[in-house]
Amino acid sequence: MLAFRVSKGKLKRVSKPLPKLRPRWALIRVRLAGVCNTDVEILRGYHAFRGTLGHEFVGEVADVRGGSARENTKWLGRRVCGEINVACSAYGYRSACSFCGGSLKTHCVRRTVLGIVAHDGAFAEYLTLPLENLHLVPDSVGDQQAVFVEPLAAACEILEQVNVSRLRKAAILGDGKLAQLIARVLRTKIPRVVMYGKHGNKLALAQRAGIETKRVHGDASDLKKIKEAFPLLVEATGSPTGLALAQQMTEPRGTLVLKSTFHGAASVETWPIVVKELTVVGSRCGPFAKALALLRADKVDLRPLITRTFSLADAQKAIRFAQKPGVMKVLLKS
């Protein structure tokens, strides 16, 4: 099969055998894969990953090993998306780690992560995942929506971590792909959601989704110009420079959610956290079922975020295009 591996900071096209299946794993033919900022950071050295890139996908189950007849009927030929953290139970360890035993499989100490940590990902014609990681995609949800389920679930995770029922307003710092999803998810629960960003075309996308937007410069001058504070602030700039502004924009005893991942260090002053008694929450992967429910109920439409679709064979062109200014979601079609 055709696949694209990380090699010395670039994508390398390779031809490789179909992956072998473990018991109760599925072989999935990738239909669409999404290019994420994390993929770009991996090419810059994040996690020192050397396998096949890609963790956002929608595909079709081509084969199942070791499942019951009922399971085979459930999965074979069906469209699926998949959770990216592969935990102890899927690898047949005799005893689960403490996190898996406590139902925190996303933090399994022995986990691999699709396209990120020791598990070949979705920039290929086929990938493998355990059956326990798969979610059926409803017929009413098209591929162009379903390919967003993984990052949309990450946005939904905020609602799992923070009680927003009494909040009247919230803000997102950043206007990129993940920030756009977060804003749409929060808008389903909070009356006023404000996105702060520095790109006019990206802010316009949010405005069309009913989200209030404000233009910023993305530098130290914003610290003096922005006066409003919020009980919930989500930092999703993908940049280490956003953290100082995020602390300033969070109300005393408010909650600051950190969503950015990037390769490198961030300079952090801790006094605003202490003086304002902020709650700082790291937030990563989230509930696929809730993301699929939002799509099935037409609560969010993510198709306007797609800038361009490339063929899988043009993955190298796609990853370069994805890094151009103003580009939102780039997809690969197998």
Side-chain angles (χ1 to χ4, degrees):
M1 69 174 186
L2 174 64
F4 287 85
R5 297 177 58 84
V6 179
S7 176
K8 298 179 180 179
K10 296 182 179 180
L11 280 185
K12 180 180 180 182
R13 178 180 177 137
V14 298
S15 179
K16 54 188 286 190
L18 289 178
K20 295 181 180 180
L21 292 180
R22 296 171 178 268
R24 297 185 54 75
W25 282 54
L27 177 69
I28 300 158
R29 184 179 69 81
V30 180
R31 294 166 65 104
L32 279 179
V35 177
C36 173
N37 284 347
T38 300
D39 300 321
V40 175
E41 293 298 331
I42 287 172
L43 290 171
R44 294 171 179 163
Y46 181 62
H47 271 307
F49 182 61
R50 294 294 179 268
T52 301
L53 205 58
H55 57 277
E56 301 175 3
F57 78 94
V58 57
E60 182 179 302
V61 176
D63 193 13
V64 174
R65 182 184 173 196
S68 65
R70 182 177 180 181
E71 286 175 320
N72 290 348
T73 300
K74 175 183 177 180
W75 295 110
L76 282 173
R78 301 292 301 276
R79 285 189 310 140
V80 295
C81 52
E83 301 192 34
I84 66 176
N85 297 281
V86 183
C88 287
S89 54
Y91 286 110
Y93 290 109
R94 291 185 178 182
S95 59
C97 71
S98 58
F99 291 101
C100 288
S103 299
L104 274 175
K105 289 187 176 183
T106 56
H107 292 280
C108 171
V109 296
R110 295 178 288 205
R111 75 183 183 275
T112 61
V113 186
L114 183 74
I116 298 175
V117 179
H119 190 121
D120 283 340
F123 290 5
E125 292 179 294
Y126 292 87
L127 61 82
T128 62
L129 277 176
L131 294 179
E132 65 183 51
N133 282 52
L134 301 184
H135 293 261
L136 293 172
V137 176
D139 292 340
S140 61
V141 178
D143 285 355
Q144 287 188 323
Q145 293 269 69
V147 73
F148 283 95
V149 169
E150 192 279 332
L152 185 62
C156 290
E157 177 69 0
I158 296 170
L159 301 182
E160 300 288 294
Q161 296 172 299
V162 182
N163 182 0
V164 302
S165 60
R166 295 185 179 182
L167 297 185
R168 306 304 298 169
K169 65 178 183 177
I172 299 94
L173 189 57
D175 55 18
K177 294 181 284 293
L178 183 55
Q180 296 278 346
L181 301 183
I182 292 167
R184 285 158 175 77
V185 168
L186 293 184
R187 188 67 181 81
T188 66
K189 299 291 184 181
I190 301 173
R192 181 176 177 233
V193 174
V194 186
M195 174 181 285
Y196 288 80
K198 60 182 182 179
H199 305 98
N201 64 319
K202 296 179 180 180
L203 294 175
L205 284 170
Q207 289 170 358
R208 289 197 285 273
I211 298 156
E212 184 180 336
T213 65
K214 295 191 177 181
R215 192 83 174 260
V216 295
H217 292 290
D219 57 32
S221 67
D222 294 326
L223 291 167
K224 295 181 180 180
K225 293 180 179 180
I226 298 176
K227 302 301 181 182
E228 187 173 12
F230 296 82
L232 173 61
L233 192 290
V234 182
E235 198 291 310
T237 63
S239 166
T241 59
L243 191 53
L245 180 58
Q247 291 178 81
Q248 175 180 298
M249 292 175 62
T250 308
E251 290 181 356
R253 293 203 170 179
T255 299
L256 169 56
V257 177
L258 304 182
K259 273 293 189 183
S260 289
T261 57
F262 47 82
H263 180 58
S267 178
V268 181
E269 289 193 48
T270 59
W271 70 261
I273 299 172
V274 176
V275 172
K276 294 167 71 175
E277 297 181 306
L278 304 182
T279 297
V280 180
V281 178
S283 186
R284 189 169 54 102
C285 300
F288 272 49
K290 292 194 174 181
L292 283 164
L294 285 177
L295 295 174
R296 186 171 54 245
D298 289 327
K299 293 287 185 67
V300 293
D301 183 6
L302 306 178
R303 289 168 295 185
L305 299 179
I306 300 170
T307 301
R308 186 172 171 184
T309 300
F310 289 79
S311 70
L312 174 63
D314 289 328
Q316 294 154 321
K317 292 181 182 178
I319 203 80
R320 290 194 295 269
F321 181 79
Q323 298 176 68
K324 291 184 176 182
V327 172
M328 294 299 288
K329 180 59 70 177
V330 173
L331 303 180
L332 297 175
K333 184 177 179 63
S334 297

PDB file of all heavy atoms in Angstrom, residues 295-325:
ATOM      1  N   LEU A 295     -22.722  16.322  15.182  1.00  0.00           N
ATOM      2  CA  LEU A 295     -22.801  16.261  13.724  1.00  0.00           C
ATOM      3  C   LEU A 295     -24.129  15.676  13.272  1.00  0.00           C
ATOM      4  O   LEU A 295     -24.755  16.173  12.325  1.00  0.00           O
ATOM      5  CB  LEU A 295     -21.637  15.435  13.169  1.00  0.00           C
ATOM      6  CG  LEU A 295     -20.240  16.019  13.392  1.00  0.00           C
ATOM      7  CD1 LEU A 295     -19.176  15.050  12.920  1.00  0.00           C
ATOM      8  CD2 LEU A 295     -20.098  17.358  12.669  1.00  0.00           C
ATOM      9  N   ARG A 296     -24.570  14.629  13.930  1.00  0.00           N
ATOM     10  CA  ARG A 296     -25.833  13.977  13.555  1.00  0.00           C
ATOM     11  C   ARG A 296     -27.013  14.919  13.752  1.00  0.00           C
ATOM     12  O   ARG A 296     -27.982  14.906  12.983  1.00  0.00           O
ATOM     13  CB  ARG A 296     -26.026  12.706  14.383  1.00  0.00           C
ATOM     14  CG  ARG A 296     -27.235  11.872  13.979  1.00  0.00           C
ATOM     15  CD  ARG A 296     -27.254  10.525  14.682  1.00  0.00           C
ATOM     16  NE  ARG A 296     -27.151  10.651  16.119  1.00  0.00           N
ATOM     17  CZ  ARG A 296     -26.140  10.206  16.849  1.00  0.00           C
ATOM     18  NH1 ARG A 296     -25.126   9.567  16.266  1.00  0.00           N
ATOM     19  NH2 ARG A 296     -26.132  10.356  18.151  1.00  0.00           N
ATOM     20  N   ALA A 297     -26.947  15.769  14.761  1.00  0.00           N
ATOM     21  CA  ALA A 297     -28.034  16.709  15.052  1.00  0.00           C
ATOM     22  C   ALA A 297     -27.896  18.028  14.289  1.00  0.00           C
ATOM     23  O   ALA A 297     -28.691  18.950  14.506  1.00  0.00           O
ATOM     24  CB  ALA A 297     -28.085  16.983  16.553  1.00  0.00           C
ATOM     25  N   ASP A 298     -26.886  18.121  13.431  1.00  0.00           N
ATOM     26  CA  ASP A 298     -26.634  19.346  12.659  1.00  0.00           C
ATOM     27  C   ASP A 298     -26.407  20.559  13.559  1.00  0.00           C
ATOM     28  O   ASP A 298     -26.778  21.685  13.214  1.00  0.00           O
ATOM     29  CB  ASP A 298     -27.787  19.638  11.692  1.00  0.00           C
ATOM     30  CG  ASP A 298     -27.829  18.652  10.535  1.00  0.00           C
ATOM     31  OD1 ASP A 298     -26.752  18.202  10.106  1.00  0.00           O
ATOM     32  OD2 ASP A 298     -28.941  18.331  10.070  1.00  0.00           O
ATOM     33  N   LYS A 299     -25.809  20.338  14.731  1.00  0.00           N
ATOM     34  CA  LYS A 299     -25.508  21.448  15.634  1.00  0.00           C
ATOM     35  C   LYS A 299     -24.311  22.267  15.134  1.00  0.00           C
ATOM     36  O   LYS A 299     -24.166  23.443  15.498  1.00  0.00           O
ATOM     37  CB  LYS A 299     -25.218  20.914  17.044  1.00  0.00           C
ATOM     38  CG  LYS A 299     -26.415  20.287  17.743  1.00  0.00           C
ATOM     39  CD  LYS A 299     -27.406  21.338  18.190  1.00  0.00           C
ATOM     40  CE  LYS A 299     -28.552  20.743  18.985  1.00  0.00           C
ATOM     41  NZ  LYS A 299     -28.135  20.204  20.284  1.00  0.00           N
ATOM     42  N   VAL A 300     -23.439  21.617  14.370  1.00  0.00           N
ATOM     43  CA  VAL A 300     -22.276  22.303  13.802  1.00  0.00           C
ATOM     44  C   VAL A 300     -22.100  21.859  12.353  1.00  0.00           C
ATOM     45  O   VAL A 300     -22.378  20.712  12.011  1.00  0.00           O
ATOM     46  CB  VAL A 300     -20.979  22.011  14.594  1.00  0.00           C
ATOM     47  CG1 VAL A 300     -21.035  22.604  15.986  1.00  0.00           C
ATOM     48  CG2 VAL A 300     -20.697  20.515  14.672  1.00  0.00           C
ATOM     49  N   ASP A 301     -21.677  22.786  11.512  1.00  0.00           N
ATOM     50  CA  ASP A 301     -21.349  22.474  10.119  1.00  0.00           C
ATOM     51  C   ASP A 301     -19.890  22.853   9.907  1.00  0.00           C
ATOM     52  O   ASP A 301     -19.527  24.030   9.953  1.00  0.00           O
ATOM     53  CB  ASP A 301     -22.251  23.235   9.161  1.00  0.00           C
ATOM     54  CG  ASP A 301     -21.972  22.882   7.699  1.00  0.00           C
ATOM     55  OD1 ASP A 301     -21.165  21.965   7.444  1.00  0.00           O
ATOM     56  OD2 ASP A 301     -22.565  23.531   6.814  1.00  0.00           O
ATOM     57  N   LEU A 302     -19.067  21.857   9.689  1.00  0.00           N
ATOM     58  CA  LEU A 302     -17.629  22.088   9.621  1.00  0.00           C
ATOM     59  C   LEU A 302     -17.106  22.156   8.192  1.00  0.00           C
ATOM     60  O   LEU A 302     -15.935  22.482   7.969  1.00  0.00           O
ATOM     61  CB  LEU A 302     -16.900  20.978  10.393  1.00  0.00           C
ATOM     62  CG  LEU A 302     -17.399  20.803  11.833  1.00  0.00           C
ATOM     63  CD1 LEU A 302     -16.666  19.662  12.508  1.00  0.00           C
ATOM     64  CD2 LEU A 302     -17.251  22.093  12.630  1.00  0.00           C
ATOM     65  N   ARG A 303     -17.934  21.882   7.237  1.00  0.00           N
ATOM     66  CA  ARG A 303     -17.495  21.874   5.835  1.00  0.00           C
ATOM     67  C   ARG A 303     -16.937  23.217   5.364  1.00  0.00           C
ATOM     68  O   ARG A 303     -15.988  23.231   4.558  1.00  0.00           O
ATOM     69  CB  ARG A 303     -18.645  21.411   4.936  1.00  0.00           C
ATOM     70  CG  ARG A 303     -18.960  19.924   5.097  1.00  0.00           C
ATOM     71  CD  ARG A 303     -20.262  19.541   4.445  1.00  0.00           C
ATOM     72  NE  ARG A 303     -21.405  20.195   5.101  1.00  0.00           N
ATOM     73  CZ  ARG A 303     -22.668  19.954   4.789  1.00  0.00           C
ATOM     74  NH1 ARG A 303     -22.960  19.083   3.830  1.00  0.00           N
ATOM     75  NH2 ARG A 303     -23.645  20.579   5.425  1.00  0.00           N
ATOM     76  N   PRO A 304     -17.451  24.360   5.839  1.00  0.00           N
ATOM     77  CA  PRO A 304     -16.846  25.637   5.406  1.00  0.00           C
ATOM     78  C   PRO A 304     -15.387  25.807   5.817  1.00  0.00           C
ATOM     79  O   PRO A 304     -14.691  26.681   5.289  1.00  0.00           O
ATOM     80  CB  PRO A 304     -17.729  26.690   6.095  1.00  0.00           C
ATOM     81  CG  PRO A 304     -19.044  26.018   6.273  1.00  0.00           C
ATOM     82  CD  PRO A 304     -18.697  24.592   6.604  1.00  0.00           C
ATOM     83  N   LEU A 305     -14.919  24.974   6.749  1.00  0.00           N
ATOM     84  CA  LEU A 305     -13.525  25.074   7.199  1.00  0.00           C
ATOM     85  C   LEU A 305     -12.549  24.385   6.244  1.00  0.00           C
ATOM     86  O   LEU A 305     -11.339  24.539   6.379  1.00  0.00           O
ATOM     87  CB  LEU A 305     -13.374  24.462   8.593  1.00  0.00           C
ATOM     88  CG  LEU A 305     -14.201  25.115   9.712  1.00  0.00           C
ATOM     89  CD1 LEU A 305     -13.964  24.387  11.025  1.00  0.00           C
ATOM     90  CD2 LEU A 305     -13.871  26.591   9.847  1.00  0.00           C
ATOM     91  N   ILE A 306     -13.063  23.617   5.301  1.00  0.00           N
ATOM     92  CA  ILE A 306     -12.197  22.887   4.366  1.00  0.00           C
ATOM     93  C   ILE A 306     -11.712  23.834   3.283  1.00  0.00           C
ATOM     94  O   ILE A 306     -12.509  24.406   2.534  1.00  0.00           O
ATOM     95  CB  ILE A 306     -12.936  21.694   3.733  1.00  0.00           C
ATOM     96  CG1 ILE A 306     -13.403  20.716   4.820  1.00  0.00           C
ATOM     97  CG2 ILE A 306     -12.034  20.973   2.719  1.00  0.00           C
ATOM     98  CD1 ILE A 306     -14.341  19.631   4.316  1.00  0.00           C
ATOM     99  N   THR A 307     -10.399  24.001   3.190  1.00  0.00           N
ATOM    100  CA  THR A 307      -9.814  24.863   2.160  1.00  0.00           C
ATOM    101  C   THR A 307      -9.573  24.106   0.869  1.00  0.00           C
ATOM    102  O   THR A 307      -9.875  24.596  -0.219  1.00  0.00           O
ATOM    103  CB  THR A 307      -8.482  25.466   2.648  1.00  0.00           C
ATOM    104  OG1 THR A 307      -8.710  26.220   3.840  1.00  0.00           O
ATOM    105  CG2 THR A 307      -7.871  26.380   1.595  1.00  0.00           C
ATOM    106  N   ARG A 308      -9.042  22.875   0.985  1.00  0.00           N
ATOM    107  CA  ARG A 308      -8.698  22.137  -0.234  1.00  0.00           C
ATOM    108  C   ARG A 308      -8.533  20.651   0.080  1.00  0.00           C
ATOM    109  O   ARG A 308      -8.134  20.291   1.183  1.00  0.00           O
ATOM    110  CB  ARG A 308      -7.410  22.691  -0.848  1.00  0.00           C
ATOM    111  CG  ARG A 308      -7.039  22.096  -2.196  1.00  0.00           C
ATOM    112  CD  ARG A 308      -5.864  22.838  -2.810  1.00  0.00           C
ATOM    113  NE  ARG A 308      -5.353  22.156  -3.986  1.00  0.00           N
ATOM    114  CZ  ARG A 308      -4.277  22.545  -4.682  1.00  0.00           C
ATOM    115  NH1 ARG A 308      -3.609  23.622  -4.301  1.00  0.00           N
ATOM    116  NH2 ARG A 308      -3.866  21.862  -5.743  1.00  0.00           N
ATOM    117  N   THR A 309      -8.856  19.823  -0.907  1.00  0.00           N
ATOM    118  CA  THR A 309      -8.664  18.375  -0.792  1.00  0.00           C
ATOM    119  C   THR A 309      -7.662  17.919  -1.850  1.00  0.00           C
ATOM    120  O   THR A 309      -7.809  18.242  -3.031  1.00  0.00           O
ATOM    121  CB  THR A 309      -9.998  17.623  -0.984  1.00  0.00           C
ATOM    122  OG1 THR A 309     -10.925  18.047   0.016  1.00  0.00           O
ATOM    123  CG2 THR A 309      -9.795  16.113  -0.872  1.00  0.00           C
ATOM    124  N   PHE A 310      -6.638  17.184  -1.398  1.00  0.00           N
ATOM    125  CA  PHE A 310      -5.621  16.623  -2.281  1.00  0.00           C
ATOM    126  C   PHE A 310      -5.811  15.111  -2.356  1.00  0.00           C
ATOM    127  O   PHE A 310      -6.388  14.502  -1.455  1.00  0.00           O
ATOM    128  CB  PHE A 310      -4.207  16.894  -1.736  1.00  0.00           C
ATOM    129  CG  PHE A 310      -3.761  18.324  -1.813  1.00  0.00           C
ATOM    130  CD1 PHE A 310      -4.187  19.260  -0.878  1.00  0.00           C
ATOM    131  CD2 PHE A 310      -2.880  18.732  -2.794  1.00  0.00           C
ATOM    132  CE1 PHE A 310      -3.763  20.577  -0.932  1.00  0.00           C
ATOM    133  CE2 PHE A 310      -2.443  20.051  -2.861  1.00  0.00           C
ATOM    134  CZ  PHE A 310      -2.880  20.973  -1.927  1.00  0.00           C
ATOM    135  N   SER A 311      -5.287  14.498  -3.395  1.00  0.00           N
ATOM    136  CA  SER A 311      -5.217  13.040  -3.418  1.00  0.00           C
ATOM    137  C   SER A 311      -4.119  12.603  -2.457  1.00  0.00           C
ATOM    138  O   SER A 311      -3.165  13.356  -2.190  1.00  0.00           O
ATOM    139  CB  SER A 311      -4.909  12.526  -4.820  1.00  0.00           C
ATOM    140  OG  SER A 311      -3.581  12.848  -5.189  1.00  0.00           O
ATOM    141  N   LEU A 312      -4.242  11.385  -1.934  1.00  0.00           N
ATOM    142  CA  LEU A 312      -3.212  10.859  -1.029  1.00  0.00           C
ATOM    143  C   LEU A 312      -1.837  10.903  -1.682  1.00  0.00           C
ATOM    144  O   LEU A 312      -0.835  11.215  -1.022  1.00  0.00           O
ATOM    145  CB  LEU A 312      -3.558   9.425  -0.621  1.00  0.00           C
ATOM    146  CG  LEU A 312      -2.496   8.689   0.205  1.00  0.00           C
ATOM    147  CD1 LEU A 312      -2.265   9.386   1.541  1.00  0.00           C
ATOM    148  CD2 LEU A 312      -2.898   7.233   0.421  1.00  0.00           C
ATOM    149  N   ALA A 313      -1.775  10.633  -2.966  1.00  0.00           N
ATOM    150  CA  ALA A 313      -0.493  10.625  -3.677  1.00  0.00           C
ATOM    151  C   ALA A 313       0.203  11.982  -3.619  1.00  0.00           C
ATOM    152  O   ALA A 313       1.420  12.067  -3.773  1.00  0.00           O
ATOM    153  CB  ALA A 313      -0.699  10.197  -5.129  1.00  0.00           C
ATOM    154  N   ASP A 314      -0.566  13.034  -3.379  1.00  0.00           N
ATOM    155  CA  ASP A 314      -0.005  14.384  -3.312  1.00  0.00           C
ATOM    156  C   ASP A 314       0.145  14.867  -1.869  1.00  0.00           C
ATOM    157  O   ASP A 314       0.089  16.071  -1.601  1.00  0.00           O
ATOM    158  CB  ASP A 314      -0.898  15.356  -4.082  1.00  0.00           C
ATOM    159  CG  ASP A 314      -0.831  15.143  -5.583  1.00  0.00           C
ATOM    160  OD1 ASP A 314       0.239  14.752  -6.077  1.00  0.00           O
ATOM    161  OD2 ASP A 314      -1.861  15.352  -6.262  1.00  0.00           O
ATOM    162  N   ALA A 315       0.343  13.941  -0.943  1.00  0.00           N
ATOM    163  CA  ALA A 315       0.434  14.305   0.475  1.00  0.00           C
ATOM    164  C   ALA A 315       1.559  15.293   0.753  1.00  0.00           C
ATOM    165  O   ALA A 315       1.427  16.178   1.607  1.00  0.00           O
ATOM    166  CB  ALA A 315       0.621  13.050   1.323  1.00  0.00           C
ATOM    167  N   GLN A 316       2.668  15.170   0.033  1.00  0.00           N
ATOM    168  CA  GLN A 316       3.776  16.101   0.263  1.00  0.00           C
ATOM    169  C   GLN A 316       3.395  17.523  -0.130  1.00  0.00           C
ATOM    170  O   GLN A 316       3.717  18.479   0.571  1.00  0.00           O
ATOM    171  CB  GLN A 316       5.004  15.627  -0.522  1.00  0.00           C
ATOM    172  CG  GLN A 316       5.563  14.300  -0.005  1.00  0.00           C
ATOM    173  CD  GLN A 316       6.301  13.523  -1.080  1.00  0.00           C
ATOM    174  OE1 GLN A 316       5.874  13.495  -2.237  1.00  0.00           O
ATOM    175  NE2 GLN A 316       7.380  12.855  -0.708  1.00  0.00           N
ATOM    176  N   LYS A 317       2.666  17.657  -1.233  1.00  0.00           N
ATOM    177  CA  LYS A 317       2.172  18.974  -1.639  1.00  0.00           C
ATOM    178  C   LYS A 317       1.157  19.489  -0.622  1.00  0.00           C
ATOM    179  O   LYS A 317       1.132  20.674  -0.290  1.00  0.00           O
ATOM    180  CB  LYS A 317       1.523  18.894  -3.021  1.00  0.00           C
ATOM    181  CG  LYS A 317       2.473  18.602  -4.164  1.00  0.00           C
ATOM    182  CD  LYS A 317       1.714  18.560  -5.484  1.00  0.00           C
ATOM    183  CE  LYS A 317       2.642  18.231  -6.643  1.00  0.00           C
ATOM    184  NZ  LYS A 317       1.893  18.137  -7.937  1.00  0.00           N
ATOM    185  N   ALA A 318       0.316  18.579  -0.128  1.00  0.00           N
ATOM    186  CA  ALA A 318      -0.732  18.963   0.814  1.00  0.00           C
ATOM    187  C   ALA A 318      -0.148  19.526   2.106  1.00  0.00           C
ATOM    188  O   ALA A 318      -0.648  20.524   2.641  1.00  0.00           O
ATOM    189  CB  ALA A 318      -1.624  17.764   1.116  1.00  0.00           C
ATOM    190  N   ILE A 319       0.894  18.890   2.639  1.00  0.00           N
ATOM    191  CA  ILE A 319       1.461  19.347   3.909  1.00  0.00           C
ATOM    192  C   ILE A 319       2.142  20.701   3.731  1.00  0.00           C
ATOM    193  O   ILE A 319       2.133  21.543   4.640  1.00  0.00           O
ATOM    194  CB  ILE A 319       2.440  18.294   4.486  1.00  0.00           C
ATOM    195  CG1 ILE A 319       2.583  18.483   6.002  1.00  0.00           C
ATOM    196  CG2 ILE A 319       3.790  18.334   3.812  1.00  0.00           C
ATOM    197  CD1 ILE A 319       1.478  17.905   6.801  1.00  0.00           C
ATOM    198  N   ARG A 320       2.717  20.945   2.558  1.00  0.00           N
ATOM    199  CA  ARG A 320       3.299  22.273   2.294  1.00  0.00           C
ATOM    200  C   ARG A 320       2.190  23.319   2.162  1.00  0.00           C
ATOM    201  O   ARG A 320       2.301  24.421   2.700  1.00  0.00           O
ATOM    202  CB  ARG A 320       4.155  22.231   1.020  1.00  0.00           C
ATOM    203  CG  ARG A 320       5.450  21.442   1.161  1.00  0.00           C
ATOM    204  CD  ARG A 320       6.409  21.720   0.010  1.00  0.00           C
ATOM    205  NE  ARG A 320       5.876  21.252  -1.274  1.00  0.00           N
ATOM    206  CZ  ARG A 320       6.095  20.050  -1.776  1.00  0.00           C
ATOM    207  NH1 ARG A 320       6.847  19.174  -1.113  1.00  0.00           N
ATOM    208  NH2 ARG A 320       5.593  19.709  -2.951  1.00  0.00           N
ATOM    209  N   PHE A 321       1.131  22.954   1.459  1.00  0.00           N
ATOM    210  CA  PHE A 321       0.011  23.887   1.279  1.00  0.00           C
ATOM    211  C   PHE A 321      -0.638  24.221   2.613  1.00  0.00           C
ATOM    212  O   PHE A 321      -1.044  25.367   2.849  1.00  0.00           O
ATOM    213  CB  PHE A 321      -1.018  23.262   0.328  1.00  0.00           C
ATOM    214  CG  PHE A 321      -2.207  24.136   0.057  1.00  0.00           C
ATOM    215  CD1 PHE A 321      -2.127  25.176  -0.850  1.00  0.00           C
ATOM    216  CD2 PHE A 321      -3.403  23.916   0.715  1.00  0.00           C
ATOM    217  CE1 PHE A 321      -3.227  25.998  -1.109  1.00  0.00           C
ATOM    218  CE2 PHE A 321      -4.508  24.727   0.480  1.00  0.00           C
ATOM    219  CZ  PHE A 321      -4.422  25.770  -0.436  1.00  0.00           C
ATOM    220  N   ALA A 322      -0.738  23.236   3.494  1.00  0.00           N
ATOM    221  CA  ALA A 322      -1.390  23.438   4.794  1.00  0.00           C
ATOM    222  C   ALA A 322      -0.679  24.469   5.649  1.00  0.00           C
ATOM    223  O   ALA A 322      -1.287  25.037   6.569  1.00  0.00           O
ATOM    224  CB  ALA A 322      -1.478  22.111   5.541  1.00  0.00           C
ATOM    225  N   GLN A 323       0.589  24.736   5.375  1.00  0.00           N
ATOM    226  CA  GLN A 323       1.360  25.682   6.167  1.00  0.00           C
ATOM    227  C   GLN A 323       1.350  27.103   5.601  1.00  0.00           C
ATOM    228  O   GLN A 323       1.958  27.999   6.178  1.00  0.00           O
ATOM    229  CB  GLN A 323       2.802  25.177   6.297  1.00  0.00           C
ATOM    230  CG  GLN A 323       2.906  23.850   7.025  1.00  0.00           C
ATOM    231  CD  GLN A 323       4.323  23.301   7.056  1.00  0.00           C
ATOM    232  OE1 GLN A 323       5.210  23.862   7.712  1.00  0.00           O
ATOM    233  NE2 GLN A 323       4.548  22.204   6.361  1.00  0.00           N
ATOM    234  N   LYS A 324       0.619  27.298   4.503  1.00  0.00           N
ATOM    235  CA  LYS A 324       0.534  28.632   3.917  1.00  0.00           C
ATOM    236  C   LYS A 324      -0.412  29.518   4.734  1.00  0.00           C
ATOM    237  O   LYS A 324      -1.373  29.027   5.318  1.00  0.00           O
ATOM    238  CB  LYS A 324       0.047  28.542   2.471  1.00  0.00           C
ATOM    239  CG  LYS A 324       1.046  27.915   1.512  1.00  0.00           C
ATOM    240  CD  LYS A 324       0.526  27.943   0.082  1.00  0.00           C
ATOM    241  CE  LYS A 324       1.558  27.397  -0.888  1.00  0.00           C
ATOM    242  NZ  LYS A 324       1.070  27.457  -2.298  1.00  0.00           N
ATOM    243  N   PRO A 325      -0.164  30.809   4.763  1.00  0.00           N
ATOM    244  CA  PRO A 325      -1.040  31.724   5.502  1.00  0.00           C
ATOM    245  C   PRO A 325      -2.479  31.662   4.987  1.00  0.00           C
ATOM    246  O   PRO A 325      -2.714  31.580   3.778  1.00  0.00           O
ATOM    247  CB  PRO A 325      -0.416  33.103   5.230  1.00  0.00           C
ATOM    248  CG  PRO A 325       1.005  32.821   4.883  1.00  0.00           C
ATOM    249  CD  PRO A 325       0.996  31.508   4.164  1.00  0.00           C
TER     250      PRO A 325
END
